[in-house]
Amino acid sequence: MIIVPEKEIAALVGRADSFAAVEGVFASMSSGSAYNFPVIREAIGHADALYGFKSGFDRAGLDLGLKSGGYWPGNAAKGLTNHQSTVFLFDADTGKCKAVVGGNLLTALRTAAAAAVSVAHLARPDASVLGIIGAGHQATFQLRAVAEQRNFTKIVAWNRTPEKLASLANVAKEIGLPFESVSLDALGAQSDVIITIVSSQSAILKNADVRPGTHIACMGTDTKGKQEVEAALVARASVFTDEVAQSISIGECQHAINDGTLLQSDIHELGHVINKTHPGRTSKDEVTLFDGTGVGLQDLAVASAAVKLAIKNGVAQEIEF
Ligand code: NAD
């Protein structure tokens, strides 16, 4: 069995590896060769922790396994990350455990890669201003990954606590793009691509603030009750997602589905656009929206890439198991 410790991931798995893994597995899901198993999520009644599993099987890449993990709110005080995750991969022919891979950084990389894949396939080719809503742990990963997808000339951003935007401003400086902290309506008025990556229970971005032709990737809503944008914006947009079942139950689409302004049949898998079985954006004025709910297969895909890279670079730890 191979072990790839968390501390090795940063040097092994880059944004391009993550993009390729996530794009590939979205394509496999839509061609019917990969599927996610039902998600388990439990409040365990200890340490205020939420714990669960996301799992699945990709017959094309023979990736079988699960991501185990969750949220321990007291961890920061212990010098640890509140979100903790580990990926387990199994041999699809024998069921033997094949690898254990640190999943914390991989989660941020695969989430940012999903937004980046949506921008690559759905944003207008001439998109030039990138708007980011949110400045938490995931936000800088989102900025780095999405900024590579178009010739952006400016980054604008909003966060509930604007002083936290310093982390995004630093990344913008590093990648050589001007950065501005703006109001939400100013963000909507300028942006060609908008990433929302907040943990909110009510809509932050208003339909009226978004101009025609914008691509929006809603990446923060991954639980029943969370919401980042007005349901009317979802109803107005051409909607794409990683997995329809998650989109309507725990994703951004749950609200427009619940109020009857969006039908399940209006939501398309991004994988179909990748596979060219759906045309994706068909006009420059169309608003496109990607509901990135986060699926287990994304975790397996990036973990599998990490194992291959660890073996290639001689840092995989092998043990008899
Ligand atoms: P974080 O705790 O580090 O940051 C939270 C962010 O949300 C901050 O920008 C904060 O200002 C903002 N926020 C919180 N409450 C808000 C409110 N009521 N109104 C406006 N803004 C508010 O979290 P993170 O790790 O950056 O994750 C952000 C979100 O992304 C979370 O909801 C998380 O569950 C989700 N997430 C989704 C995926 C996926 O695959 N889709 C993967 C990882 C994380």
Side-chain angles (χ1 to χ4, degrees), residues 98 187 268 282 321:
K98 203 164 72 170
L187 185 144
H268 303 282
T282 53
F321 181 71

Side-chain angles (χ1 to χ4, degrees), residues 192-276:
D192 303 303
V193 170
I194 300 175
I195 307 299
T196 61
I197 183 72
V198 293
S199 178
S200 170
Q201 301 280 331
S202 58
I204 293 167
L205 183 64
K206 293 195 174 62
N207 182 24
D209 287 343
V210 173
R211 58 185 188 162
T214 304
H215 173 67
I216 306 149
C218 297
M219 305 306 300
T221 298
D222 56 359
T223 308
K224 195 170 184 320
K226 283 190 186 175
Q227 185 172 15
E228 297 182 294
V229 306
E230 276 187 344
L233 176 56
V234 179
R236 166 187 170 197
S238 302
V239 180
F240 300 86
T241 189
D242 40 23
E243 191 191 76
V244 175
Q246 285 203 167
S247 172
I248 62 171
S249 54
I250 59 168
E252 195 61 40
C253 288
Q254 62 182 291
H255 308 286
I257 288 282
N258 290 344
D259 71 18
T261 52
L262 185 78
L263 300 175
Q264 182 169 330
S265 56
D266 295 328
I267 308 171
H268 303 282
E269 285 185 1
L270 180 57
H272 285 303
V273 183
I274 298 166
N275 290 337
K276 304 200 184 325

Side-chain angles (χ1 to χ4, degrees), residues 268-290:
H268 303 282
E269 285 185 1
L270 180 57
H272 285 303
V273 183
I274 298 166
N275 290 337
K276 304 200 184 325
T277 48
H278 186 287
R281 168 181 293 279
T282 53
S283 81
K284 69 178 177 35
D285 286 337
E286 188 176 355
V287 172
T288 52
L289 185 145
F290 173 64

Side-chain angles (χ1 to χ4, degrees), residues 54 71 83 107 110-111 133-139 158-161 164 197-202 204 218-223 226 228 242 292-295 298:
K54 282 188 165 183
Y71 188 73
H83 286 277
T107 299
R110 66 76 147 147
T111 305
I133 295 179
H137 178 68
Q138 305 293 330
W158 178 91
N159 193 54
R160 190 174 54 164
T161 43
K164 289 236 169 95
I197 183 72
V198 293
S199 178
S200 170
Q201 301 280 331
S202 58
I204 293 167
C218 297
M219 305 306 300
T221 298
D222 56 359
T223 308
K226 283 190 186 175
E228 297 182 294
D242 40 23
T293 65
V295 293
Q298 279 170 263

